[in-house]
Amino acid sequence: MSPPAAATISVRTTLAMLDGDKREIANGVANDQYVFWLGSGISREKMPDLGDIAKNVLVTLQARVDAGDADCRFRKALNAVLVLAGPSADEWGRIDLDAVPSGWADFDALAARLVNNYARMLNVAVEGEHPDYLLWDILGAAHVYADPAIEPDAEHICLAALAIEGVASDMPTANWDTLIERAITKLAGTQPVLRVVVAPGEVRWNRRRANLYKFHGCAQRALDNEAQFRDLLIARSSQINGWVAQNPVIAAELIHFIVTRPTLMLGLSAQDSNIQGLFAAAQTTMAWPWPSHPPAYAFSENALGADQEGLLQNVYHGDYNVGNRPFMEAEALVQAYAKPLLLALFLHVVTAKLKSLVELGVPGLADVDRDKLHEGLEQARNGVADSVVPDATIVTELIEHCGRAMTMLRSGDLPDPANGIYAPLTAEPLHRMPADMTLPGSGLCQFAVANGLIGLGLARGHWTAAKADVSDPMSGAIVISGRSGPAKIYFAANAQAAIRLGTNGLIADNDDAVIIHSHVIPAPMPRYPRRAPGRTGLAPTRETSIEDLLAGGTEVEDLLSRFRSQVAL
């Protein structure tokens, strides 16, 4: 059977979808309108499969059975788990509770059936033990889900980047693992970017740029403080069914999100009764009208399941009828799983911010010229999309390249490991950028114009682009190859950054390089180390000022011509 379309969709095709009929959702994310509801699907390739968990329960319980004791408490528990798998009479006849389950003829089939009953399975009690014995002792779940050897996947890295860009400010999750926390530490180092809420009292902590609500508990917290956090690991059916009533503080916080902000579900089936209860309670508080702009609900799925369709019925309430239902469901379905969708959203958000910076930096720009620079930014974005796949290693490399370029732009230096590998374009979502009074003088607006011009050059075949070598400090931000050959491209937001590129040893006087200054070019000074002679015929290091270019006119065709002349590529 071929894999679902949502799993095989390319990043470029996902971007085309976000540029097309899912544009409102993409723009909603760029404006930090969506709450990201995260489920086990985003950690599926890093954490145990539910089928394997079911097998582990069967095998470990059976290993503790006392074969000589017909009344053995582990035998009783094992039998109770098997009942949940619904064996036929023939299957019961082939089960030997005194034999290792992996040898049972129907072992795989029984485990597969337990997947849909995992909460009931974990609710099975063992006489004389804590109610969560299967979870805590049999499975060792806290150690498994907090395993420090497990690295974040592509989804977690992209979520971390979106959070640092200020467009994923609230992320409720049913996951116990700490992969999002690790991803943000990887990207932001020790910077205070993330607040993690697990216990009710933690909702009083100061909000941060990103806020993760682990409403089913946290494996690491449970290991670090078993007395407080062990019972907050939610897995058993009795816990799930009573969760809303027993957790009024966290429940109220989540209901507030559902009522006030659109929902984007990633890797979350919404089948747990407590999640359904939250959305039903939100509907009674204030239902969403349909249509809403942006759409009030979006699901990263291959197709909507019964639970998601039921959720739409609850939250749209009176507007959910025979006539509207097909349109509601088509609008809500984003047919790309979290891996390609989150990477495409990251590229969309960064490009949307660059477009906004163009408009902020050149307020009198004619519409036709603005559109050409936007086209150039999209061309550069699409080139990146064509060169990447949503793999953890590749996504991390992309994020590292972005962070390296932004750090050199701002300070003429390489990233400080204490601050992580990523530096955001801005820490604010799109709609708040015009109110940031630091942006016009930051050099970012001119940086955006420069990228638009480079993108136009790519579109028109004037040059090609390649990534820099992050292992080489002197490799620039990107490499552009034109008729005169390849040149390393550096960006400098201010005179200090430009000078520090040389004093920090990131560029040599006789490098084939171009420094693109946001503002005026600083006076020449002996600031760069020298390399052994390379190819000759061009001024080894060329410099251009976007501010000066714009002062000479903002008609983009002329601007591009003058830019090409100065960079001599």
Side-chain angles (χ1 to χ4, degrees):
M1 185 172 67
S2 60
T8 58
I9 188 171
S10 70
V11 178
R12 179 68 179 277
T13 304
T14 307
L15 273 171
M17 179 171 60
L18 297 179
D19 287 339
D21 62 351
K22 303 303 178 185
R23 175 176 288 274
E24 276 197 275
I25 293 172
N27 290 341
V29 169
N31 285 292
D32 192 32
Q33 290 177 275
Y34 279 93
V35 174
F36 286 61
W37 288 73
L38 311 174
S40 61
I42 69 164
S43 299
R44 180 175 289 117
E45 294 178 31
K46 293 291 183 174
M47 291 297 158
D49 177 82
L50 286 177
D52 292 335
I53 288 175
K55 289 179 178 180
N56 194 357
V57 167
L58 293 171
V59 169
T60 309
L61 273 178
Q62 192 281 328
R64 299 186 185 188
V65 169
D66 182 350
D69 182 3
D71 200 38
C72 173
R73 58 188 180 137
F74 295 107
R75 185 187 298 275
K76 291 178 181 178
L78 178 58
N79 190 74
V81 168
L82 286 168
V83 167
L84 293 172
S88 66
D90 287 342
E91 287 172 330
W92 272 120
R94 292 192 290 267
I95 293 172
D96 180 0
L97 297 186
D98 293 321
V100 177
S102 57
W104 297 348
D106 305 300
F107 180 55
D108 289 338
L110 294 169
R113 276 180 242 153
L114 286 171
V115 168
N116 292 328
N117 275 301
Y118 79 95
R120 294 186 182 91
M121 175 184 72
L122 294 174
N123 205 55
V124 169
V126 175
E127 293 175 8
E129 302 292 348
H130 193 282
D132 70 353
Y133 182 79
L134 263 60
L135 181 72
W136 190 265
D137 294 271
I138 296 291
L139 295 174
H143 290 279
V144 170
Y145 286 87
D147 183 352
I150 299 176
E151 291 290 325
D153 209 340
E155 297 96 322
H156 311 102
I157 296 293
C158 290
L159 282 166
L162 290 168
I164 294 167
E165 288 286 348
V167 300
S169 60
D170 291 300
M171 298 180 284
T173 181
N175 297 351
W176 301 326
D177 64 66
T178 56
L179 295 179
I180 290 174
E181 296 95 308
R182 291 179 197 173
I184 288 184
T185 298
K186 188 181 186 76
L187 269 58
T190 58
Q191 297 178 76
V193 170
L194 180 68
R195 176 185 69 148
V196 180
V197 173
V198 180
E202 294 167 359
V203 299
R204 292 173 172 161
W205 294 356
N206 283 345
R207 285 179 58 81
R208 290 184 174 175
R209 201 182 315 167
N211 301 272
L212 183 66
Y213 296 84
K214 303 183 82 168
F215 60 91
H216 276 187
C218 174
Q220 190 64 57
R221 294 277 190 90
L223 282 181
D224 294 342
N225 187 344
E226 181 179 338
Q228 182 179 0
F229 291 100
R230 174 175 172 176
D231 287 342
L232 296 182
L233 288 179
I234 306 300
R236 308 191 311 276
S237 56
S238 57
Q239 292 175 300
I240 292 170
N241 294 337
W243 186 88
V244 173
Q246 294 165 10
N247 292 272
V249 174
I250 300 291
E253 194 87 352
L254 301 184
I255 289 170
H256 174 73
F257 290 150
I258 299 166
V259 168
T260 58
R261 295 173 61 194
T263 289
L264 172 58
M265 285 195 176
L266 296 148
L268 185 66
S269 65
Q271 68 179 6
D272 287 341
S273 61
N274 64 330
I275 296 174
Q276 294 177 17
L278 288 170
F279 282 86
Q283 178 270 323
T284 63
T285 303
M286 184 169 67
W288 281 89
W290 186 84
S292 294
H293 302 285
Y297 290 89
F299 304 95
S300 169
E301 293 289 350
N302 192 59
L304 298 188
D307 292 313
Q308 291 148 342
E309 291 172 355
L311 188 149
L312 290 176
Q313 185 172 2
N314 280 336
V315 297
Y316 283 132
H317 200 45
D319 289 332
Y320 189 90
N321 56 48
V322 173
N324 290 339
R325 185 173 64 203
F327 302 102
M328 286 180 173
E329 293 175 357
E331 175 189 78
L333 178 62
V334 182
Q335 200 175 33
Y337 285 145
K339 268 185 166 64
L341 178 59
L342 287 168
L343 181 50
L345 281 171
F346 169 71
L347 294 173
H348 172 86
V349 166
V350 170
T351 306
K353 286 187 173 187
L354 287 168
K355 289 178 180 179
S356 179
L357 287 166
V358 166
E359 297 180 25
L360 290 172
V362 197
L365 196 63
D367 290 351
V368 63
D369 295 310
R370 177 204 62 207
D371 291 345
K372 287 179 181 179
L373 288 175
H374 286 190
E375 174 194 339
L377 290 169
E378 289 185 2
Q379 177 69 28
R381 178 202 71 178
N382 292 342
V384 172
D386 286 337
S387 68
V388 296
V389 294
D391 166 84
T393 300
I394 292 171
V395 170
T396 300
E397 184 184 20
L398 170 64
I399 296 297
E400 187 175 7
H401 275 285
C402 293
R404 186 174 184 271
M406 294 306 300
T407 304
M408 286 194 292
L409 167 76
R410 290 187 171 106
S411 65
D413 206 349
L414 296 178
D416 176 0
N419 293 326
I421 64 171
Y422 184 66
L425 191 59
T426 73
E428 297 282 1
L430 197 63
H431 71 287
R432 290 209 292 264
M433 285 172 56
D436 185 348
M437 301 304 292
T438 68
L439 287 180
S442 68
L444 288 175
C445 299
Q446 294 80 6
F447 171 72
V449 170
N451 277 277
L453 293 172
I454 289 171
L456 276 179
L458 290 171
R460 296 177 185 186
H462 297 321
W463 44 64
T464 60
K467 61 186 179 183
D469 179 2
V470 294
S471 67
D472 177 6
M474 303 182 77
S475 61
I478 55 172
V479 176
I480 300 293
S481 297
R483 287 178 298 177
S484 58
K488 296 177 291 187
I489 307 297
Y490 296 80
F491 300 95
N494 51 60
Q496 181 186 33
I499 292 169
R500 283 171 61 85
L501 286 171
T503 59
N504 286 326
L506 303 184
I507 188 171
D509 267 336
N510 58 338
D511 269 346
D512 288 323
V514 176
I515 304 175
I516 302 175
H517 299 263
S518 292
H519 299 301
V520 297
I521 300 173
M525 57 183 294
R527 60 188 184 275
Y528 302 153
R530 296 190 63 80
R531 294 184 178 217
R535 71 184 168 92
T536 58
L538 284 172
T541 300
R542 287 91 74 198
E543 302 182 69
T544 187
S545 161
I546 299 298
E547 182 178 286
D548 288 348
L549 285 173
L550 290 170
T554 59
E555 195 276 323
V556 166
E557 296 300 334
D558 177 59
L559 191 62
L560 178 61
S561 176
R562 288 182 284 123
F563 177 77
R564 290 181 63 198
S565 174
Q566 292 196 15
V567 299
L569 288 171

